[in-house]
Each structure stands twice: as C-alpha cells, then as structure tokens.
Amino acid sequence: MKRRVSKRSVAAGLLAGLLGAGAALAAGNPLDERVNLSLQDAAPAETFQAFGQMMGVEAVVDPGVAGKVTVTLKNVRVRTLLDAVCESIGCRWDLQDKKLRVTPATGDKPAAETRQALDTPIDLKVTDADSRELLKTFGEILSLPVSLDPAISGKLSLELEKTPVRQALDAVCLALGCDWDLVESGGKQTLKVTARPKRTKG
C-alpha cells in the first residue's frame, strides 16, 4: 500500500535534511557550502524549491524540467550538488539576482566546468564499498556519464579528507588497478575507467 506524501512535506523534509547535514548557508557564497543529500525518485520542482529555500533564493523551475531525481552525495559543495542533480535529469541551473533558474539542458557540460569540478575538494570514507558503484559516484560528482571496463570489480576501503576529486580518483584507481580519463566524442564528455593489464611473470 503506497503512502501519499504532500509536496509541502517533501520539500520541508528535504530542506531539513540538507540543513541538518550542511549547517546554515547564510554567510558567504551558498554555492561553496558543503551538504549531504540522498534522494530517491524525488520530483524536480520540489527538489529545486528546497534548494532555493536552503540558499535563501527563489527557485524558478521551467515546466520542461521533468523526470525523477535519484542521487546520493556526501560532503559536496552546493554547486556540485546542483550539477549532479541536473545531470541526472537533463537540466541546467543558473543563480543570478537571488533567483535559482532551472531549465532543460540544451547541450553538454562545458569542459571548463568539468575541470573546475575535478579540483573540488571532497571527503571520502568508504569501507568494503563496491568498486563499480564508487566509480559511478564520481560520475555523479562530475555530472558526467561513466564508462566502466567490465574487468573492474571488487571491494574497496579508503579514507580521504579535503582531497580534490582528481586526486581521489587517482587514489581509487591505484587501489583497484585501473586508469581514468575524460574522453570526448561528438562533443560529449565521458569519465572512462579502464582496468590495467595484468602483468605476467616471465
């Protein structure tokens, strides 16, 4: 039996979860504050309205922005969170004049934005995490699709603090025996992760 939850309660619950995890965002640039977020099949309008309330701005969501938001991120900047949510449902966001505007995506993410995201510090603490799921999480952080070599598998335990995303990826690949790269095809970027060939004893 499905429970009905009002839109207001969804937005209020989401806002409470964000504020509880990331503290108040009143001081400084709200886009640089860090938050935790876990969403499952959330409506985009209520999601971005909650983000707007959190940042103290008005959220204006284009009716063409559709789909369900499913994302889990920990200790990421609000700008990275917005990028990840928009990547998952195909939208773009802009913050100007105290308004968070969200519109359907009309193209692919600029390379400059990806480079900036790679330099964003994150905290990463995992114990016996599935390697493939962990690498997919980096795709969410970078707002890029992920291409994983089928040979990549196993569990991983790792703890990093305030480490740029590119260095965190290096550490993960060092532990898993893989390499990562950003590849571009047809104007689209992809985070490609390939397994290193195993050395044979001669």
Side-chain angles (χ1 to χ4, degrees):
M1 182 176 179
K2 295 184 178 179
R3 284 170 42 185
R4 292 186 177 180
V5 182
S6 70
K7 292 182 179 180
R8 179 176 298 178
S9 67
V10 171
L14 172 57
L15 178 61
L18 282 164
L19 292 179
L25 305 185
N29 185 349
L31 291 175
D32 289 331
E33 295 294 334
R34 293 182 177 277
V35 295
N36 299 337
L37 178 66
S38 182
L39 289 178
Q40 181 71 35
D41 294 334
E46 285 72 45
T47 298
F48 286 107
Q49 285 167 11
F51 293 167
Q53 291 177 46
M54 175 185 65
M55 294 186 290
V57 300
E58 178 187 357
V60 181
V61 183
D62 189 290
V65 177
K68 296 295 184 179
V69 180
T70 298
V71 65
T72 299
L73 296 171
K74 293 183 179 180
N75 196 38
V76 297
R77 298 183 192 276
V78 171
R79 67 173 73 248
T80 304
L81 168 66
L82 289 167
D83 286 343
V85 171
C86 266
E87 174 65 22
S88 70
I89 58 174
C91 67
R92 290 201 179 280
W93 65 272
D94 184 44
L95 182 61
Q96 288 186 354
D97 302 323
K98 294 287 186 179
K99 287 189 177 181
L100 174 63
R101 300 183 184 276
V102 186
T103 56
T106 55
D108 294 298
K109 186 175 180 180
E113 290 185 24
T114 302
R115 288 195 296 270
Q116 184 178 17
L118 281 169
D119 292 329
T120 301
I122 61 171
D123 291 346
L124 178 66
K125 184 177 181 179
V126 293
T127 302
D128 291 333
D130 181 271
S131 58
R132 299 181 70 82
E133 292 303 317
L134 179 58
L135 289 167
K136 289 177 183 177
T137 298
F138 279 100
E140 293 177 357
I141 292 173
L142 295 172
S143 301
L144 292 175
V146 181
S147 172
L148 292 178
D149 190 320
I152 296 174
S153 62
K155 302 287 185 179
L156 177 66
S157 296
L158 195 65
E159 184 170 352
L160 301 171
E161 290 187 3
K162 297 180 181 178
T163 304
V165 171
R166 67 173 73 247
Q167 293 181 21
L169 267 169
D170 288 342
V172 169
C173 271
L174 179 62
L176 294 175
C178 62
D179 293 301
W180 68 273
D181 194 12
L182 297 181
V183 297
E184 189 167 334
S185 177
K188 297 181 180 180
Q189 281 190 321
T190 299
L191 173 61
K192 185 175 182 179
V193 187
T194 55
R196 293 174 187 164
K198 294 182 179 180
R199 293 181 180 179
T200 56
K201 294 181 180 180

